[in-house]
Amino acid sequence: MTTLNVYKGTEMVGIGESPVHINLEPATYPEGTFQGELVDDAGKKTEKFDFPAVTVKQIVIPVTNVTMNQATATGEVGKKVVLSVTIEPENSTEKEVTWTSTDNKIATVDNGNVTFVSAGTATITATVGDKSATTKLTIKEPIVAVTKVTLDPATASVEIGKTAVIEATIEPSNATDKSVTWASKDTSIATVADGTVTGVKAGDVDVTATSADGKVTGTTKVIVTAPADTEG
């Protein structure tokens, strides 16, 4: 039986009956990269000879599915989100991910790192081979909280059965939600609706206006008096 020895330089990389199989990384190997020698049963070896050039191609395992780590993302301008993908099968040779945004004025993406640029909606797409996955973004302007509610006048007088108007000023002027909730501490003395106070019976009562988040309140002291006597 004749044995084939295969060398790469001085290193023997294969031995056995011809043909001898060698595991090689994908690449092009020039002529002479590998050499061989034949050995007969008596151990006599031939002169080494060069093998021709050989090209080993990468085995392509196509991607079958791409999944994003989250389908949606919501936040304010300036927020950052990190997206990632799961590629199936795990041993797919297609690993390069291409990231795109439908509107870079709304959101940008760089290797899965998303920055919320301005209010609006956008979609981030990750593509691997011929498969893709998306994340839908909803971006809002930052919430500007109310810091102060001032009522004018600070003290108001109203007769029983009459009305008085109290105005609320919100600070800052660019607060996201300027609505307030009006309330009377004692509706048996005075009631209030949208800043209009109605006297019910004589007495003093606080009327308040509270910001939508419930954190800031302004107060007016309301004095309800009996109607003045009318001379006949």
Side-chain angles (χ1 to χ4, degrees):
M1 179 182 70
T2 301
T3 300
L4 172 62
N5 296 335
V6 180
Y7 296 87
K8 184 179 182 183
T10 59
E11 179 187 4
M12 181 182 289
V13 293
I15 183 172
E17 289 187 67
S18 181
V20 174
H21 296 281
I22 304 171
N23 292 324
L24 300 176
E25 294 295 323
T28 296
Y29 300 90
E31 180 179 359
T33 301
F34 299 97
Q35 293 183 306
E37 65 181 6
L38 296 174
V39 183
D40 62 20
D41 291 339
K44 184 178 180 181
K45 300 180 180 179
T46 65
E47 292 289 331
K48 289 183 178 179
F49 53 88
D50 292 338
F51 285 106
V54 61
T55 297
V56 179
K57 296 183 178 180
Q58 174 73 53
I59 298 175
V60 177
I61 302 175
V63 62
T64 59
N65 189 47
V66 177
T67 305
M68 199 80 83
N69 63 325
Q70 56 189 96
T72 61
T74 302
E76 298 177 4
V77 173
K79 180 179 179 180
K80 296 183 183 294
V81 174
V82 178
L83 299 179
S84 61
V85 295
T86 300
I87 300 172
E88 299 176 18
E90 291 185 3
N91 65 338
S92 170
T93 55
E94 297 179 302
K95 298 293 187 183
E96 183 176 351
V97 183
T98 300
W99 296 90
T100 58
S101 169
T102 55
D103 192 340
N104 287 321
K105 294 180 180 179
I106 302 294
T108 60
V109 60
D110 179 16
N111 196 32
N113 298 296
V114 180
T115 301
F116 292 3
V117 178
S118 62
T121 58
T123 299
I124 301 299
T125 302
T127 302
V128 181
D130 62 354
K131 304 296 181 181
S132 62
T134 60
T135 295
K136 294 183 178 180
L137 308 179
T138 301
I139 304 170
K140 303 177 181 179
E141 292 290 351
I143 294 175
V144 179
V146 173
T147 59
K148 187 177 183 180
V149 177
T150 303
L151 300 189
D152 183 31
T155 302
S157 296
V158 63
E159 292 182 357
I160 295 172
K162 301 292 185 178
T163 61
V165 176
I166 301 173
E167 294 185 353
T169 300
I170 305 299
E171 295 180 32
S173 59
N174 65 335
T176 300
D177 189 345
K178 296 182 180 180
S179 65
V180 294
T181 299
W182 293 90
S184 170
K185 295 294 187 180
D186 188 343
T187 56
S188 70
I189 296 176
T191 61
V192 62
D194 294 329
T196 299
V197 177
T198 301
V200 178
K201 73 176 183 179
D204 297 347
V205 63
D206 285 340
V207 169
T208 61
T210 302
S211 60
D213 61 8
K215 296 180 178 180
V216 184
T217 298
T219 303
T220 288
K221 182 178 181 181
V222 176
I223 303 170
V224 181
T225 59
D229 292 335
T230 302
E231 292 184 2

